[in-house]
């Protein structure tokens, strides 16, 4: 009997060792990226129900909305929960995922994605929007609507895709363990750009024409609106500033019409370049994204708009919001490093 118990204990030990090894390997080998994967995974490191404003959408969210500045200037605890070129059918499942962990006071959805990208299956940046989400029925449902049946194996299971990354590992790959929780909590999704590219301010995009929103995008936009209403959470639809085109504006006009039908707010910040003081010679990383300086200009304008139009608590000085002070330090560290190398 003693021998039997010894063998059982040994088996349990090796099973535990195997599980720990798989966990460590997964933490090291999984793909990291500040354009969707980190934003998705970072949600799981945040304290439950600690985020008042959740921003969703494409890279126009996590490159243009400075979470550290929102907290420092307005006391808003926010998170950029977005992915590069994210289509609305993926945003819908992101929305369902976030409510498993957070109950925000306000949802803000940027709509550059449906204005610019029209395909029913958008593969260019799709991995950025998949690999950070934990395995669940919600993730499987997202995959089924985002990927053609014959291509599901290209993205699932995630470990089978990235298990052979040994030759491309870097120092950052060894900083995603549970003992790095404080650093992970400090990340609120914001991924600033530090380049500067001269842009020409568009002056011919104003039009009253409507059109360009695909049937699939409209379907999921209405599903997102319905889900926000079900959760009794105010939803603000926006377009963050960029070098907009007339075709984009037509789609935003159609979205504004839907927003009016659904009694949801929509604001196109491309109509307020001058009001916010956006400088097209210094504030852009490229025609689609603001740089760090531009993101501060836009974020300050956005923060003021949110405080004037929504009831949001000022969390500055709240001991439970220490991770937002760490977020500010993290961002300032990136700014300092970019200045040193630039």
């Amino acid at each position: 009997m003693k021998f039997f118990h010894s063998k059982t204990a040994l088996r349990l030990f090796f099973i535990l060792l195997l599980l720990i090894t798989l966990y460590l390997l997964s933490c090291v080998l999984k793909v990291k990226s500040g354009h969707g994967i980190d934003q998705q995974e970072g949600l799981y490191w945040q304290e439950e129900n600690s985020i008042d404003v959740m921003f969703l959408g494409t890279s126009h969210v996590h490159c243009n909305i400075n979470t550290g500045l929102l907290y420092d200037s307005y006391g808003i605890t926010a998170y950029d929960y977005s992915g590069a070129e994210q289509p609305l059918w993926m945003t819908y499942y992101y929305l369902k995922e976030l409510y498993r962990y957070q109950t925000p006071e306000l949802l803000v959805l940027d709509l550059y994605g449906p204005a610019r990208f029209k395909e029913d299956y958008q593969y260019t940046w799709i991995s950025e929007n998949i690999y950070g989400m934990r395995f669940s029925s919600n993730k499987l449902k997202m995959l089924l609507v985002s990927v053609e049946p014959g291509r599901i194996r290209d993205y699932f299971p995630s470990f089978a895709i990235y298990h052979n990354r040994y030759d491309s590992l870097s120092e950052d790959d060894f900083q995603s363990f549970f003992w790095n929780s404080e650093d992970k909590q400090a990340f609120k999704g914001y991924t600033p750009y530090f380049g500067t590219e001269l842009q020409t301010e568009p002056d011919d995009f104003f039009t009253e024409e409507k059109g360009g929103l695909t049937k699939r995008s409209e379907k999921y936009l209405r599903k997102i609106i319905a889900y926000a209403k079900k959760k009794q959470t105010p939803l603000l639809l926006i377009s963050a500033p960029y070098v907009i085109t007339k075709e984009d504006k037509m789609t935003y006009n159609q979205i504004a019409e839907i927003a009016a039908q659904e009694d949801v707010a929509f604001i196109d910040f491309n109509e307020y370049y001058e009001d916010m003081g956006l400088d097209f010679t210094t504030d852009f990383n490229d025609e689609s994204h603001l740089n760090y300086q531009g993101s501060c200009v836009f974020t300050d304008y956005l923060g003021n708009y949110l405080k004037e139009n929504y009831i949001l608590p000022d969390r500055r000085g709240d001991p439970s919001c220490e991770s937002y002070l760490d977020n500010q330090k993290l961002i300032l560290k990136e700014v300092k490093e970019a200045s040193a190398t630039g």
Side-chain angles (χ1 to χ4, degrees):
M1 183 66 71
K2 185 176 181 181
F3 177 72
F4 174 78
H5 286 311
S6 297
K7 288 183 67 176
T8 301
L10 190 61
R11 287 195 187 99
L12 291 174
F13 170 76
F14 279 109
I15 290 172
L16 179 61
L17 184 62
L18 176 62
L19 292 175
I20 293 173
T21 301
L22 289 174
Y23 165 76
L24 295 175
L25 281 174
S26 179
C27 289
V28 172
L29 294 175
K30 64 187 176 185
V31 182
K32 290 86 173 173
S33 168
H35 292 287
I37 297 173
D38 293 351
Q39 281 76 12
Q40 173 66 84
E41 189 191 61
L43 175 74
Y44 305 121
W45 293 92
Q46 305 305 311
E47 291 188 22
E48 189 173 354
N49 298 326
S50 63
I51 300 168
D52 287 330
V53 181
M54 191 71 74
F55 293 100
L56 302 111
T58 68
S59 57
H60 284 209
V61 168
H62 59 253
C63 293
N64 295 353
I65 300 175
N66 184 334
T67 52
L69 180 59
L70 279 177
Y71 181 77
D72 184 51
S73 297
Y74 299 97
I76 296 173
T77 55
Y79 191 89
D80 293 341
Y81 189 52
S82 52
E85 296 187 9
Q86 185 177 106
L88 290 179
W89 42 94
M90 299 191 89
T91 304
Y92 173 69
Y93 288 98
Y94 265 51
L95 185 61
K96 296 184 78 172
E97 187 76 3
L98 77 85
Y99 271 97
R100 296 172 64 186
Y101 305 92
Q102 300 291 332
T103 53
E105 298 291 328
L106 174 66
L107 298 168
V108 181
L109 171 60
D110 180 82
L111 290 159
Y112 171 74
R116 182 58 63 94
F117 308 109
K118 309 299 182 178
E119 299 82 7
D120 282 350
Y121 295 99
Q122 299 176 18
Y123 291 109
T124 305
W125 289 91
I126 192 171
S127 60
E128 296 281 352
N129 296 280
I130 292 175
Y131 290 156
M133 187 180 287
R134 288 177 178 172
F135 176 75
S136 65
S137 61
N138 187 54
K139 181 173 183 175
L140 288 177
K141 290 174 183 176
M142 183 179 75
L143 276 168
L144 290 174
V145 302
S146 304
V147 180
E148 293 160 288
R151 296 195 60 177
I152 288 179
R153 68 182 63 183
D154 294 338
Y155 304 97
F156 180 82
S158 298
F159 187 77
I161 309 302
Y162 58 67
H163 75 279
N164 58 352
R165 288 186 59 239
Y166 301 102
D167 293 338
S168 61
L169 295 179
S170 67
E171 183 179 345
D172 290 340
D173 287 304
F174 295 87
Q175 298 176 6
S176 293
F177 306 110
F178 67 85
W179 53 82
N180 301 117
S181 61
E182 288 189 8
D183 293 336
K184 293 297 182 181
Q185 284 180 13
F187 179 68
K188 307 297 181 182
Y190 175 53
T191 302
Y193 277 131
F194 293 100
T196 301
E197 190 175 280
L198 175 66
Q199 301 297 325
T200 300
E201 181 175 345
D203 58 4
D204 61 349
F205 67 90
F206 288 101
T207 177
E208 294 183 358
E209 293 183 67
K210 305 180 184 73
L213 188 68
T214 68
K215 289 183 178 180
R216 197 175 200 215
S217 287
E218 180 176 348
K219 172 187 174 181
Y220 277 92
L221 176 58
R222 292 188 185 273
K223 284 172 73 73
I224 289 168
I225 292 171
Y227 194 82
K229 288 180 178 179
K230 177 183 176 182
K231 293 296 184 179
Q232 299 182 321
T233 308
L235 172 64
L236 170 63
L237 307 178
I238 70 167
S239 173
Y242 66 103
V243 183
I244 190 176
T245 67
K246 187 174 182 179
E247 290 73 21
D248 295 341
K249 187 60 179 175
M250 289 172 60
T251 304
Y252 294 137
N253 289 343
Q254 185 179 354
I255 289 170
E257 184 176 63
I258 292 170
Q261 293 169 2
E262 298 279 2
D263 194 26
V264 172
F266 172 72
I267 181 168
D268 181 0
F269 284 103
N270 293 290
E271 297 182 4
Y272 300 93
Y273 297 142
E274 186 175 346
D275 285 353
M276 71 178 70
L278 201 61
D279 189 333
F280 280 74
T281 66
T282 60
D283 293 348
F284 282 79
N285 181 78
D286 52 62
E287 66 177 13
S288 187
H289 302 94
L290 302 173
N291 57 23
Y292 171 72
Q293 180 173 310
S295 75
C296 292
V297 173
F298 171 55
T299 298
D300 188 52
Y301 192 79
L302 175 62
N304 186 63
Y305 177 86
L306 295 181
K307 293 297 280 191
E308 287 187 351
N309 290 276
Y310 297 92
I311 300 174
L312 296 169
D314 187 336
R315 303 289 190 187
R316 286 172 291 189
D318 187 336
S320 67
C321 296
E322 187 174 342
S323 65
Y324 278 88
L325 296 176
D326 293 336
N327 179 235
Q328 291 175 282
K329 294 175 184 176
L330 180 66
I331 294 169
L332 291 176
K333 180 182 176 182
E334 289 187 68
V335 173
K336 184 177 180 179
E337 289 175 350
S339 299
T341 59

